[in-house]
Amino acid sequence: MNTYKITFTRENGTVGSDNFTAPSEAQARRDFKEVYRHGNGTITSVELVSSDAPATKQQERAALEKIRKIVEELGPDSYIATAFDGCFKDAEANIENDWALSMKDRWLTSDRELNDANGTIEELRDKLAESEKDYEAAHATAHQIAEEKDAEIASLKSRLLADDDLADISRLLSKTVADLGKEVSDAAARIVEVADQPESAAFRNAVKDHRAAKADLSHWTELLTRVNNTKNRA
């Protein structure tokens, strides 16, 4: 948002000025006319004093309401309505409580949990591979301890992820993929919202977020496919 200093002349000839936060000079002029609608002030100059001013809460409420109406007009089963599921409540909570709720934070939390799960899987695989080598060497030199080694291998294999564990990981990945799908749609909606401002930071950030979300979605979708294939082979 921009901050504009509007200088004006009152009906009695005195000069005054006021600052308005708005996305454009035209909107700032309209806001001036609304604020000073009971007077006859004449604008003499408009100066851009800041280009990185935060929007007011009322401006954000108004913008959210416009977006909500657009989505409602598309119908509850539209792709965009599906993508925005839960986002409006987060936005309202952010505005009213100065919070920073987002789908991205939820995805990052899921990502950390997934990384922890992946670390456990790799550790178990490494330990199993090492134990199988020990078993092969012992079996070649001492057939008499075959039964003991068989029991050891059975015990080690029992440490592999069970079907329920794979199912839990699959559900976690599915949620991550779904959240990223919403993030992609959300970024796309932001691109549409500022499509008439291709040089703005908002537009560039929306495009950047959209590309990043699509790349992450592709990565985690592929991982989910591999986990599901492993689960199906079990």
Side-chain angles (χ1 to χ4, degrees), residues 54-100:
T56 65
K57 287 194 174 186
Q58 186 55 41
Q59 288 172 325
E60 294 216 21
R61 292 189 190 98
L64 179 61
E65 187 60 28
K66 290 180 182 179
I67 297 171
R68 192 198 304 273
K69 288 182 179 179
I70 292 173
V71 174
E72 287 177 352
E73 290 174 356
L74 296 174
D77 297 324
S78 69
Y79 296 119
I80 295 178
T82 301
F84 272 77
D85 185 22
C87 292
F88 290 124
K89 289 184 178 179
D90 282 352
E92 290 172 352
N94 288 345
I95 294 172
E96 301 306 326
N97 302 297
D98 295 323
W99 289 349

Side-chain angles (χ1 to χ4, degrees), residues 31-46:
D31 293 343
F32 172 86
K33 291 180 180 179
E34 175 64 21
V35 172
Y36 291 90
R37 62 185 181 276
H38 299 303
N40 294 315
T42 301
I43 296 175
T44 57
S45 68
V46 179

Side-chain angles (χ1 to χ4, degrees), residues 99-120:
W99 289 349
L101 301 175
S102 71
M103 291 296 182
K104 181 179 180 181
D105 285 339
R106 293 187 179 90
W107 167 72
L108 289 175
T109 299
S110 297
D111 185 40
R112 287 192 294 270
E113 293 173 352
L114 180 61
N115 286 336
D116 291 341
N118 285 338
T120 301

Side-chain angles (χ1 to χ4, degrees), residues 95-198:
I95 294 172
E96 301 306 326
N97 302 297
D98 295 323
W99 289 349
L101 301 175
S102 71
M103 291 296 182
K104 181 179 180 181
D105 285 339
R106 293 187 179 90
W107 167 72
L108 289 175
T109 299
S110 297
D111 185 40
R112 287 192 294 270
E113 293 173 352
L114 180 61
N115 286 336
D116 291 341
N118 285 338
T120 301
I121 293 173
E122 290 303 317
E123 181 181 355
L124 290 173
R125 285 176 176 169
D126 290 343
K127 289 182 178 180
L128 176 61
E130 181 180 352
S131 297
E132 286 178 339
K133 290 180 181 179
D134 292 341
Y135 166 77
E136 291 173 357
H139 183 73
T141 58
H143 182 69
Q144 65 273 19
I145 61 171
E147 292 184 359
E148 180 182 345
K149 288 297 179 181
D150 286 341
E152 180 184 352
I153 291 298
S155 175
L156 289 169
K157 287 186 175 180
S158 69
R159 295 164 63 184
L160 288 172
L161 287 177
D163 290 346
D164 289 344
D165 294 328
L166 286 171
D168 289 341
I169 293 173
S170 178
R171 284 192 292 270
L172 177 61
L173 284 170
S174 296
K175 182 180 182 304
T176 298
V177 168
D179 289 344
L180 283 171
K182 290 182 179 180
E183 188 174 342
V184 169
S185 298
D186 185 43
R190 288 164 51 206
I191 292 174
V192 172
E193 183 180 351
V194 293
D196 59 339
Q197 305 172 42

